[in-house]
Amino acid sequence: MNSKTLLGLPLMLTLVAAGCGGSAPAPAPQGQEQPKPSGGNAASAIDPATVASIKGKITFEGTAPANAPIKMNADPFCVSANKTPQTQETYMVGKGGELGNVFVYISDGLGDRTFQAPTDPVVIDQQNCRYHPHVLGMMVGQPLQIVNSDGTLHNIHAIPTKNAEFNTGQPIKGMKTDHVFTAAETMVPFKCDVHGWMNAYAGVLPHPYFAVTDDNGSFTIKNLPPGTYKLTAWHEKLGTQTADITLAAKDDKENNFTFKAAGGN
Amino acid sequence: MWLHRYAKLVSASTVLLIVAGGLVTSTGSGLSVPDWPTSYGWSMFTFPLRHMVGGIFYEHGHRLIASTVGFLTIILAVWIWRVEPRRWVRTLGFAALGSVILQGLLGGITVLLFLPTAVSTAHAGLAQIFFCLTVAIALVTSPSWNMAPPGGWRDDHTLRVVATMTTAVIYSQILLGATMRHADAGLAIPDFPLVFGGLVPPYWTPQIAIHYAHRVGALLATAAIFATAGHVWFRHPDRKELRRPATLLAVLVLVQISLGGLIVLTKKDVSINTAHVVSGALVLATSLVLTLRSHSARFAEGAVSPARVSAGMSPAGVRA
């Protein structure tokens, strides 16, 4: 073999970057049901007559960065399912600065209380080549049901650091797969390696006190026992903020957060 | 002669395979087919083409090309085993077959383990070794391999040492690059040609260290290549079989450095990123050709002169 052979070898190349967009329906606030303490722990007992709640609004101050556009032409199905230009849903900012897709949760203050995970699954749906919802929460031990509602193949690839990583293929429309996280972790990223623009985040907590802000930037966390808590708000790009809050019996307190562009919190 | 042509085909197919592998990593498609050796439950060869969308196009395409190259390599190894009297060439054939099998296993394992850096880097490193084996087989089965050059066999100890060291440096540099690639450190230093505006990083992380090592390695590899090429240009200007790969090597390394810089400046453009992988393989293969030719006098026992060939005699030891 001489050098001419090497010179003559073809290079070919290509393509496709990702992109993404579009706004998913805002998920309903979570953690609203009366929590079920797990048995056997006296500290878990919660008096329903004294429970309190926290509500609030999260806003973005300043001009929100533009969401990155998504090019779905790598998959004809995705193109046909989305007739309008699509963008990532990183910054779900309303006209008044209301910030959606923020995960709000109690990060400290519950002591050694333990809570029984619901048996009803939390659902994440792959629909029109997007994850619905984009941000979600669940309890440790609660089933996560992964659904493929699309007429194309998806793989759902979770990349946790405290739980076991998994990568599940769902080649057929209507497929459902259940998964259970065994350790608390905020946040667990999900991605689809087939469609590089698809991403989602899940907060996995040992208790039911969490919520995801809706299109109005609002959240409500109910049924908290009286106490002093650390409330944390997480956004995928804007980082986290915390607040200390003390709840007396039957309190209905409000705590708002304001995010600025990254680094300006 | 046909064996040589077939070996060249296998080498060319391997370049195509490296292109496909480079595209898999450049597009981040390595886990788009989560199972192995099946693809979404289908056999690799019955997976419907209509489903080759998004990242699957790259990952499953890479698997199909790899399977084809593996099949071609089986034929190559058997062919060599049947017609090649030189034992060490037969060994090369079996080494190629063994490495392509191991390569396939590594590719599957890295998918099942979610692309750990060590396994993915080993996959990338073995790919280069397999490519070098196919190039070496193509070279040593060529009719010219056993023919004495016009000026007769001339052994140059210095050239042998410099060329061998250069090939080793290039391979080490490729391993560094593969580690950087699979550790996602390609943009750990965001500017080029400077490093955070200077010559040395102002702070260190593992990713910055591996990226910086790859840049320093590029300088060392370039110096080694020009030392080898310069030696050939000045000491062996009449030896076409050395001069051509030496010149090609010098050109390729300049292309390679340019592509490396462009990767940073374009923030890992897919085409440039992939071209850098392929160009690196071509630099290595060209250096290997030059190195093997620098050793050719030592393989010359039993070789024949052009006069014997023109008289109708086959080069000694080559039956095909």
Side-chain angles (χ1 to χ4, degrees), chain A residues 1-7 9 11-16 74-75 153-155 157 165-167 169 171 193-194, chain B residues 4 8 12 15-16 19 31-32 34 40 51 53-56 58 114 138-139 142 244 248 270-271 274 278 286 293:
Chain A
M1 181 176 190
N2 57 35
S3 52
K4 280 183 179 177
T5 305
L6 295 174
L7 274 174
L9 294 173
L11 288 186
M12 51 193 220
L13 302 172
T14 38
L15 7 158
V16 187
D75 188 338
L153 298 83
H154 289 293
N155 74 297
H157 179 194
E165 186 172 352
F166 69 87
N167 184 18
D193 299 281
V194 180
Chain B
H4 167 61
K8 285 202 293 187
V15 173
L16 183 66
V19 172
L31 292 175
S32 60
Y40 285 92
H51 289 326
V53 296
I56 300 172
Y58 301 109
F114 312 113
L139 179 65
S142 67
R244 282 184 172 177
L248 177 63
V270 169
S271 300
T274 306
V278 180
T286 307
R293 284 185 175 161

Side-chain angles (χ1 to χ4, degrees), chain A:
Chain A
M1 181 176 190
N2 57 35
S3 52
K4 280 183 179 177
T5 305
L6 295 174
L7 274 174
L9 294 173
L11 288 186
M12 51 193 220
L13 302 172
T14 38
L15 7 158
V16 187
C20 266
S23 53
Q30 299 172 55
Q32 306 249 353
E33 308 234 340
Q34 182 72 31
K36 296 176 184 171
S38 59
N41 185 345
S44 298
I46 295 174
D47 180 2
T50 63
V51 291
S53 64
I54 308 172
K55 64 182 178 183
K57 193 164 191 173
I58 299 188
T59 52
F60 182 85
E61 187 176 287
T63 304
N67 285 317
I70 298 174
K71 295 177 184 173
M72 294 188 173
N73 52 359
D75 188 338
F77 172 85
C78 301
V79 173
S80 65
N82 296 277
K83 301 297 185 189
T84 56
Q86 298 289 299
T87 63
Q88 282 286 5
E89 48 204 319
T90 309
Y91 302 101
M92 299 293 292
V93 182
K95 289 181 180 176
E98 306 89 350
L99 186 60
N101 280 341
V102 177
F103 188 69
V104 187
Y105 62 102
I106 298 295
S107 54
D108 193 20
L110 287 164
D112 59 354
R113 293 176 190 275
T114 57
F115 299 88
Q116 186 177 345
T119 53
D120 294 339
V122 171
V123 177
I124 183 169
D125 191 8
Q126 298 151 111
Q127 190 175 31
N128 295 338
C129 300
R130 310 294 291 256
Y131 286 120
H132 302 280
H134 179 66
V135 177
L136 65 156
M138 74 195 78
M139 282 185 65
V140 175
Q142 184 175 11
L144 171 66
Q145 186 173 79
I146 303 157
V147 180
N148 182 8
S149 296
D150 281 339
T152 190
L153 298 83
H154 289 293
N155 74 297
I156 186 158
H157 179 194
I159 314 165
T161 55
K162 295 174 183 171
N163 289 276
E165 186 172 352
F166 69 87
N167 184 18
T168 303
Q170 292 192 322
I172 298 170
K173 183 177 182 178
M175 282 187 77
K176 295 178 180 176
T177 306
D178 285 346
H179 183 83
V180 174
F181 288 102
T182 56
E185 183 169 352
T186 50
M187 302 291 289
V188 177
F190 292 88
K191 64 184 287 197
C192 174
D193 299 281
V194 180
H195 309 99
W197 61 84
M198 288 176 65
N199 57 81
Y201 300 90
V204 183
L205 294 169
H207 59 73
Y209 302 113
F210 53 84
V212 179
T213 58
D214 58 18
D215 285 347
N216 296 317
S218 300
F219 72 91
T220 304
I221 298 176
K222 293 180 178 177
N223 300 320
L224 274 158
T228 297
Y229 300 102
K230 188 178 289 295
L231 183 68
T232 297
W234 171 95
H235 183 271
E236 63 185 272
K237 288 291 182 189
L238 301 172
T240 60
Q241 292 190 32
T242 59
D244 293 323
I245 188 165
T246 298
L247 297 175
K250 296 185 179 181
D251 261 357
D252 185 13
K253 283 200 171 177
E254 182 169 338
N255 193 97
N256 300 322
F257 291 99
T258 300
F259 282 88
K260 299 177 182 177
N265 292 335

Side-chain angles (χ1 to χ4, degrees), chain B residues 119-161:
Chain B
V119 181
S120 294
T121 302
H123 185 62
L126 186 57
Q128 302 292 333
I129 289 175
F130 171 70
F131 180 44
C132 285
L133 285 168
T134 65
V135 168
I137 290 170
L139 179 65
V140 302
T141 55
S142 67
S144 63
W145 175 252
N146 282 301
M147 284 195 299
W153 297 109
R154 282 179 285 164
D155 186 29
D156 182 340
H157 174 76
T158 303
L159 177 60
R160 277 194 281 115
V161 171

Side-chain angles (χ1 to χ4, degrees), chain B residues 137-297:
Chain B
I137 290 170
L139 179 65
V140 302
T141 55
S142 67
S144 63
W145 175 252
N146 282 301
M147 284 195 299
W153 297 109
R154 282 179 285 164
D155 186 29
D156 182 340
H157 174 76
T158 303
L159 177 60
R160 277 194 281 115
V161 171
V162 174
T164 303
M165 287 182 63
T166 297
T167 301
V169 168
I170 293 169
Y171 184 68
S172 301
Q173 169 67 355
I174 286 177
L175 287 183
L176 273 176
T179 306
M180 182 182 78
R181 185 178 183 81
H182 293 289
D184 198 22
L187 295 177
I189 297 175
D191 50 344
F192 180 88
L194 293 177
V195 176
F196 295 102
L199 296 177
V200 177
Y203 57 94
W204 295 91
T205 65
Q207 288 188 315
I208 290 173
I210 189 70
H211 187 124
Y212 190 68
H214 188 56
R215 291 196 186 189
V216 173
L219 294 177
L220 294 176
T222 304
I225 285 169
F226 276 95
T228 303
H231 184 87
V232 170
W233 290 333
F234 290 105
R235 300 295 295 272
H236 303 284
D238 57 326
R239 292 181 66 180
K240 193 169 62 177
E241 84 280 7
L242 297 179
R243 201 180 63 239
R244 282 184 172 177
T247 303
L248 177 63
L249 190 55
V251 171
L252 280 173
V253 76
L254 295 178
V255 170
Q256 179 69 348
I257 288 175
S258 303
L259 289 170
L262 283 172
I263 289 175
V264 174
L265 297 177
T266 62
K267 296 187 174 9
K268 297 203 289 188
D269 174 88
V270 169
S271 300
I272 293 170
N273 208 355
T274 306
H276 188 63
V277 172
V278 180
S279 175
L282 296 181
V283 169
L284 178 65
T286 307
S287 183
L288 178 70
V289 168
L290 180 57
T291 301
L292 290 174
R293 284 185 175 161
S294 74
H295 285 78
S296 59

